Amino acid sequence: MPFIPHTETDVKQMLASIGVNDIEALFDEIPAELRIGLLDKVPAGLNEMEMSRLMHVRASGPQPLCFIGAGAYEHHIPAAIWEIVTRGEFYSAYTPYQAEASQGTLQLIYEYQTMMAHLTGMEASNASLYDGASGLAEAVLMAVRANRKSKSKRILMPASVNPTYRSVVQTIVENQGITLELVDYQLDAGCIDVASLPADPGDVAALVIPQPNFFGVLEDVNALTDWAHVHGLLVIAVVNPTSLALLTPPGEWGEQGADVVCGEGQPLGVPLAGGGPYFGFMCCNLKHVRQMPGRIVGRTVDADGKPGFALTLQAREQHIRRSKATSNICTNQGLVVAAATIYMTLLGAQGLNRVANSSHQNTQNLAAQLNAIDGVTMAFASPTFHEFVIKLDGVSAEDVLGALMADGVLGGFNLNADYPALGEAILVCATETKTAADIAAYRDALSRVMSRLKGGAA
Amino acid sequence: MSNEMKRNINSQNINGHQDGVIFEKSHSGRTNACQSPRESSASRVIPASLLRESPPLLPEVSEMQAVRHFTRLSQKNFSIDTHFYPLGSCTMKYNPRACNTLAMLPGFLNYHPLAPVETGQGFMSCLYELQEILKEVTGMKEVSLTPMAGAQGEFAGMAMIRAYHDARGDTARCEVICPDAAHGTNPATAVMCGYKVKEIPTRADGDIDIEALKEVIGPQTAGIMLTNPSTVGVFERRITEIAKIVHDAGGLLYYDGANLNAILGKVRPGDMGFDVIHMNLHKTFSTPHGGGGPGAGPVGVSERLIPFLPVPMVGYDGDQYHWLTKKDRPQSIGRLSAFAGNAGVLMRAYIYARLLGREGMPRIAEYSTLNANYMMVELQKKGFDLAFPSRRATHEFIVTLKRQAKTLDVSAMDFAKRLLDYGYHAPTTYFPLLVPECFLIEPTETEDKDTLDGFIDAMAKIQSEAETQADMVKAAPYTLPARRLDDVRAARELDIVWKPGEQTR
């Protein structure tokens, strides 16, 4: 029997102790009419060898050269990370409620909080949320609670924020009467025009600022932050953690810095894995820490006065506050956070800076090469981090991406459905994992595809 | 050896120079060349006003230092792989290694979530089959895998209930009913969905008070949130009657799947009359708890809620697996995550489900129930008080230490901490809130009789320690990497981020 250790003798002894004849008797409180027979639609059990064979076949699909980013990024993952993360002591531990028996997990989270706070330039970090998109939703809820100057439930949400994030935020906050008002981007620059923001926005709780934004373009975060603060809005920064090795941390944006910082942690040592598990990070300053959702670990002392770690500020949480909690969140993304903590430790500030720089430079390089292809232009003239948008002349993005895939290249993310105003446009990413040969392979493939498709059209 | 001596030895072990926080091991200029990309000479085109002025404070340690540090941290944890972990309502069963190894095959790890589905058919077939398996074991009509944790599954469930009422123009329903024994997420979730919470009491026999339910239910009721078996470790015997009362009032029934392990392959929430359920795959389907996540909280629904399920889901047209999005399901409550939820966790659950197969499912319920009833009876024989002595245990049961707290001044927390010294993780303490000084004990099916006997003996020993040397028990634990932590100080003198110049050791 899979994973059940009982021998017949064990079962006999246990049943005798309980005073029943068979295991079935233990279910005698369940009304008979509710009982079911065998679950016919569940396949028969496999042993590990059979299962392994099946999964190896399913994992053996094509592995094309991938230039898709759009919220999930391929980076080198040091071998040590997942060797340590999958140690049973991390992998099979529970949430650290019993602090004395969870000092490893607790100290690791404290170190994670420290790294994230320093990376974002903020004073506090929680132990993580589910992912970047749901983290932004929690940041919106937090900002509405935390903005003491405003009673408003209005949030300014730029169209340059990842459209999927916007849709997740909508799902999560709409039942609480919060409204998201779209802020447009400039069609030629791909970012928000600060000058176009209203002189009097009225009572609004917060402005969301993406950096880099969904197009990879860098927003004028300093001016945006100052505009928001002048009008009594809190600033929610949505940032890429890798980029923070290079870019101004949100804590230093404008005169006063951002108020809530969130984002997707996946670039920090977490595999693409079809979309998860990833983790969302969230940081703020101490004045707002009691409004922050999620677990927080604090350093304290034990009964002997020695330093130790424990969950703290639990009065915000559902298991204490029930219907008055800051969120219904119980856990963090523990294992994935462990991976990110080890990643940041192994790379350090210099290593992370090189990853950011190398990704930035590969992207510049790829952009320049694609721009030289007939029928391909850069959508925006603004500086970018490690993604950019190309526009295609006279061919459809869908056809181009399909043809590239046939050539073994995943050419990027099709922006058609989310940004029809851009025409035929593709969001392209090149991280540090792409070699000069990879970049040349993309260029050559796109060049072939463009001349073929355009030739066919003519 | 006296406890004092053990404590001293232990202190020496843990307070060696290796045990500070990682930042204290850092030395300026130490780098890991092996983990850094080569420097390239291409130009950078970012305006100076957007560039960081000073590097972030991250550790500067060698790869070996990092590996040793985090390996040593891991050794300060209890875990299923090292200890018996009878945490009620958490289902801490063995996490088969194959589930991890096979979910981490490179073909799955390298798959970009936005890559064309043609390149991920193997991956998607696993998710599709998992949807089908979960439908069958819960008796629900459709399943969406996308919620990333039980709490998010709850949110999705309640949002669907709201969407259902709203779609019918039935907008006067503003209340959700929860038993007083409900998990804290239940009322918190109801509020997130814009509802007010009405609590109803639990009777002395552990069933919910149906008369109280009849009193609070009405045209303002959107639904009820229940766990069955309930959080007090017994099967709600009148569930069919409850379902009828709620449905007759126009409300819907929400099933919290925390305790699905107890009934897997025996009874199905769909057959009990539930309209929407969430499952905790990190409990029943043995995906790792990981020190607090990631979990996965898929939702299943009855016929009437199918249009509202969260997206994406995996569809299959007989030829190809594909994502179902809002375009395919316009009434969906929408997306809950940037991609497809905690996909890697879903893969582990799928592998586990296939290893069990249809014969394995009911055995989970059978042997987890056998283990719990055996422990319950044996602990009672040792003199411990049961919260619901007239009832069968399900996969878990409650011991109350109210008598010990009153007569010996030794609380459930003290028993819990002393158990750690005996090498057992404490059961869930002080939940559910309605049973004073409680231990909610869930052994799971993967533990053998010797382990259960060892735990029972430890409980008996602690009882006699409590009778003769209560102060010693009240100051436990002694043998762990830390003694009791000062929670009050942790909250008052908030130290949640290390700053340079501080010393931990």
Side-chain angles (χ1 to χ4, degrees):
Chain A
M1 289 184 280
F3 318 119
I4 292 172
H6 301 63
T7 64
E8 268 182 52
T9 315
D10 291 336
V11 174
K12 265 190 207 147
Q13 285 175 0
M14 294 167 81
L15 290 172
S17 163
I18 299 166
V20 293
N21 290 326
D22 55 22
I23 292 179
E24 208 42 51
L26 300 174
F27 293 87
D28 58 2
E29 290 188 1
I30 299 179
E33 67 274 17
L34 289 177
R35 294 291 307 274
I36 51 162
L38 212 55
L39 299 162
D40 293 327
K41 291 184 195 148
V42 176
L46 300 177
N47 64 30
E48 188 173 307
M49 183 180 72
E50 294 160 340
M51 193 64 204
S52 175
R53 194 180 296 141
L54 175 74
M55 294 305 280
H56 275 89
V57 170
R58 292 191 180 185
S60 66
Q63 296 229 11
L65 195 54
C66 180
F67 290 90
I68 309 173
Y73 301 98
E74 183 186 356
H75 288 290
H76 168 66
I77 299 174
I81 294 178
W82 287 87
E83 291 272 337
I84 298 175
V85 169
T86 53
R87 281 178 65 91
E89 299 94 326
F90 282 135
Y91 188 79
S92 72
Y94 188 66
T95 297
Y97 283 135
Q98 294 289 340
E100 300 86 347
S102 315
Q103 285 296 299
T105 291
L106 288 164
Q107 182 174 331
L108 183 141
I109 294 173
Y110 177 84
E111 293 175 356
Y112 161 81
Q113 289 172 182
T114 301
M115 292 178 201
M116 292 315 298
H118 289 301
L119 195 58
T120 58
M122 305 299 282
E123 293 169 349
S125 163
N126 71 8
S128 79
L129 301 163
Y130 305 132
D131 77 344
S134 61
L136 177 58
E138 291 286 348
V140 163
L141 293 170
M142 175 178 165
V144 169
R145 284 193 301 271
N147 192 336
R148 305 263 181 225
K149 290 184 205 148
S150 167
K151 291 248 180 296
S152 170
K153 291 190 166 186
R154 293 167 61 204
I155 300 286
L156 297 186
M157 178 69 83
S160 59
V161 170
N162 185 331
T164 313
Y165 282 32
R166 285 186 270 131
S167 122
V168 171
V169 173
Q170 182 70 29
T171 306
I172 294 175
V173 308
E174 68 185 344
N175 286 330
Q176 299 189 52
I178 292 168
T179 54
L180 308 175
E181 298 176 17
L182 215 57
V183 178
D184 217 349
Y185 64 94
Q186 306 169 80
L187 261 182
D188 54 343
C191 57
I192 305 162
D193 178 10
V194 184
S196 75
L197 294 171
D200 177 15
D203 190 7
V204 184
L207 166 69
V208 176
I209 306 178
Q211 184 75 332
N213 71 23
F214 186 60
F215 306 126
V217 172
L218 301 177
E219 298 277 1
D220 189 356
V221 292
N222 299 310
L224 289 167
T225 300
D226 289 342
W227 178 88
H229 284 151
V230 163
H231 294 97
L233 284 74
L234 295 185
V235 168
I236 300 170
V238 195
V239 293
N240 175 313
T242 309
S243 78
L244 292 181
L246 202 56
L247 303 179
T248 314
E252 295 171 16
W253 289 0
E255 292 292 319
Q256 297 168 38
D259 300 284
V260 184
V261 181
C262 61
E264 174 57 64
Q266 176 274 331
L268 303 174
V270 183
L272 293 169
Y278 299 166
F279 71 96
F281 59 86
M282 181 181 274
C283 299
C284 67
N285 284 332
L286 285 173
K287 68 174 172 183
H288 292 139
V289 74
R290 283 176 171 77
Q291 298 299 338
M292 187 155 62
R295 293 272 146 90
I296 300 174
V297 171
R299 186 166 58 164
T300 181
V301 293
D302 73 2
D304 290 338
K306 293 187 195 112
F309 301 87
L311 292 172
T312 193
L313 299 181
Q314 294 190 74
R316 303 163 297 117
E317 294 189 66
Q318 51 74 30
H319 62 287
I320 309 285
R321 293 271 280 173
R322 300 177 72 83
S323 65
K324 295 191 176 58
T326 52
S327 164
N328 72 346
I329 284 177
C330 305
T331 53
N332 59 335
Q333 296 278 95
L335 272 188
V336 200
V337 161
T341 308
I342 302 171
Y343 179 84
M344 288 186 277
T345 302
L346 286 172
L347 270 82
Q350 192 195 78
L352 196 63
N353 184 277
R354 282 208 193 172
V355 171
N357 245 324
S358 172
S359 301
H360 175 68
Q361 286 163 349
N362 278 344
T363 301
Q364 300 304 315
N365 187 1
L366 177 62
Q369 297 200 32
L370 298 189
N371 198 27
I373 298 172
D374 189 29
V376 178
T377 52
M378 292 296 116
F380 310 119
S382 308
T384 62
F385 171 53
H386 70 357
E387 281 177 284
F388 60 94
V389 176
I390 54 173
K391 282 175 115 166
L392 305 171
D393 180 28
V395 291
S396 91
E398 188 180 350
D399 290 347
V400 168
L401 289 172
L404 284 172
M405 184 173 71
D407 268 1
V409 174
L410 302 180
F413 178 73
N414 188 346
L415 293 173
N416 248 347
D418 296 303
Y419 297 96
L422 290 176
E424 298 301 325
I426 298 172
L427 178 64
V428 183
C429 174
T431 64
E432 89 282 8
T433 59
K434 296 296 170 285
T435 64
D438 295 336
I439 289 169
Y442 184 8
R443 177 201 61 208
D444 294 346
L446 183 60
S447 188
R448 279 194 303 274
V449 165
M450 287 301 289
S451 61
R452 192 165 74 230
L453 289 177
K454 289 194 67 144
Chain B
M1 196 187 325
S2 75
N3 284 316
E4 185 63 29
M5 283 168 67
K6 276 189 199 159
R7 193 189 314 166
N8 288 339
I9 289 169
N10 197 44
S11 302
Q12 284 163 23
N13 281 342
I14 67 148
N15 281 315
H17 65 283
Q18 289 140 325
D19 285 286
V21 296
I22 187 75
F23 300 94
E24 292 166 312
K25 301 168 187 177
S26 177
H27 286 274
S28 180
R30 192 173 284 159
T31 58
N32 276 319
C34 194
Q35 302 301 352
S36 288
R38 293 175 202 291
E39 266 189 299
S40 72
S41 54
S43 65
R44 200 198 271 159
V45 287
I46 299 175
S49 65
L50 298 179
L51 286 175
R52 185 166 195 131
E53 285 171 5
S54 58
L57 184 107
L58 294 177
E60 295 175 88
V61 295
S62 71
E63 180 160 334
M64 193 198 73
Q65 276 182 299
V67 168
R68 187 174 290 165
H69 175 78
F70 290 107
T71 301
R72 286 176 61 90
L73 283 190
S74 79
Q75 291 169 330
K76 295 184 181 187
N77 275 355
F78 271 36
S79 67
I80 300 172
D81 283 5
T82 53
H83 295 82
F84 179 40
Y85 226 105
L87 268 177
S89 104
C90 300
T91 311
M92 300 295 284
K93 61 169 85 176
Y94 172 59
N95 304 150
R97 282 278 150 186
C99 299
N100 183 59
T101 307
L102 297 176
M104 291 191 81
L105 292 173
F108 299 134
L109 292 191
N110 298 337
Y111 182 52
H112 193 289
L114 299 172
V117 293
E118 294 88 336
T119 62
Q121 287 293 297
F123 167 77
M124 294 187 70
S125 69
C126 296
L127 298 188
Y128 181 81
E129 287 172 20
L130 179 62
Q131 285 176 186
E132 295 299 306
I133 291 170
L134 295 180
K135 266 157 67 173
E136 175 76 350
V137 299
T138 60
M140 306 310 284
K141 291 288 184 291
E142 287 282 357
V143 164
S144 167
L145 301 174
T146 190
M148 292 177 283
Q152 216 191 30
E154 276 184 38
F155 173 82
M158 292 313 290
M160 282 189 270
I161 287 179
R162 178 149 177 171
Y164 167 81
H165 291 311
D166 286 352
R168 290 157 41 99
D170 194 355
T171 51
R173 298 184 181 272
C174 57
E175 284 178 7
V176 166
I177 300 170
C178 296
D180 56 0
H183 195 269
T185 50
N186 291 175
T189 301
V191 168
M192 276 186 91
C193 291
Y195 288 118
K196 286 197 282 274
V197 178
K198 282 273 176 199
E199 282 205 348
I200 53 169
T202 302
R203 301 192 321 179
D205 66 2
D207 287 339
I208 65 169
D209 186 336
I210 291 192
E211 294 313 309
L213 170 64
K214 285 178 183 162
E215 271 169 39
V216 299
I217 203 157
Q220 78 288 0
T221 305
I224 186 169
M225 300 181 85
L226 291 176
T227 311
N228 196 20
S230 74
T231 56
V232 301
V234 300
F235 191 87
E236 190 68 61
R237 290 169 290 197
R238 294 164 76 184
I239 184 61
T240 312
E241 190 184 343
I242 294 168
K244 185 168 184 329
I245 293 168
V246 175
H247 282 148
D248 285 352
L252 299 183
L253 284 89
Y254 181 87
Y255 180 89
D256 179 326
N259 295 338
L260 194 60
N261 213 54
I263 56 168
L264 203 64
K266 293 282 176 187
V267 213
R268 307 189 299 180
D271 300 332
M272 295 182 215
F274 284 95
D275 298 288
V276 53
I277 74 166
H278 88 261
M279 296 152 259
N280 298 294
L281 297 186
H282 44 287
K283 298 178 184 177
T284 319
F285 287 86
S286 189
T287 68
H289 281 76
V299 284
V301 293
S302 62
E303 196 76 43
R304 61 181 132 191
L305 290 179
I306 290 176
F308 307 106
L309 277 165
V311 289
M313 294 166 60
V314 183
Y316 181 55
D317 58 16
D319 176 39
Q320 197 176 61
Y321 299 94
H322 54 276
W323 296 113
L324 297 169
T325 64
K326 193 116 183 171
K327 231 186 273 169
D328 311 288
R329 308 179 68 92
Q331 283 187 287
S332 162
I333 58 161
R335 304 189 67 106
L336 298 164
S337 69
F339 301 108
N342 284 337
V345 177
L346 301 171
M347 293 296 279
R348 286 166 175 78
Y350 170 71
I351 296 160
Y352 177 73
R354 294 296 309 269
L355 291 170
L356 289 183
R358 74 169 73 95
E359 324 82 343
M361 302 280 172
R363 282 182 200 140
I364 301 292
E366 287 163 9
Y367 287 85
S368 61
T369 301
L370 175 66
N371 276 359
N373 277 281
Y374 173 73
M375 284 185 84
M376 180 172 84
V377 166
E378 289 295 313
L379 282 169
Q380 192 179 27
K381 286 177 188 166
K382 300 278 187 196
F384 288 95
D385 299 331
L386 303 176
F388 301 99
S390 67
R391 302 294 302 268
R392 284 266 186 247
T394 56
H395 68 318
E396 63 189 356
F397 62 98
I398 300 178
V399 163
T400 172
L401 298 159
K402 189 177 154 193
R403 180 167 48 84
Q404 287 83 345
K406 207 168 166 189
T407 59
L408 305 170
D409 192 29
V410 175
S411 68
M413 186 58 74
D414 299 327
F415 267 80
K417 299 302 185 194
R418 188 62 182 148
L419 272 169
L420 302 177
D421 279 331
Y422 281 95
Y424 298 101
H425 194 281
T428 297
T429 50
Y430 301 98
F431 177 81
L433 304 170
L434 75 154
V435 182
E437 299 298 329
C438 72
F439 261 14
L440 181 61
I441 303 175
E442 178 183 3
T444 83
E445 72 280 2
T446 57
E447 299 295 338
D448 65 1
K449 181 172 172 295
D450 293 345
T451 305
L452 308 183
D453 288 339
F455 177 88
I456 292 158
D457 286 345
M459 284 290 286
K461 278 184 195 144
I462 298 170
Q463 173 67 31
S464 71
E465 287 172 352
E467 288 162 8
T468 54
Q469 27 179 348
D471 285 345
M472 187 275 290
V473 177
K474 285 158 68 71
Y478 300 98
T479 59
L480 275 82
R483 299 195 58 220
R484 284 194 210 194
L485 280 307
D486 187 343
D487 291 330
V488 175
R489 173 173 160 147
R492 282 211 189 127
E493 298 171 33
L494 204 59
D495 172 4
I496 57 180
V497 167
W498 184 87
K499 292 170 202 73
E502 291 181 1
Q503 291 289 311
T504 292
R505 51 181 185 264

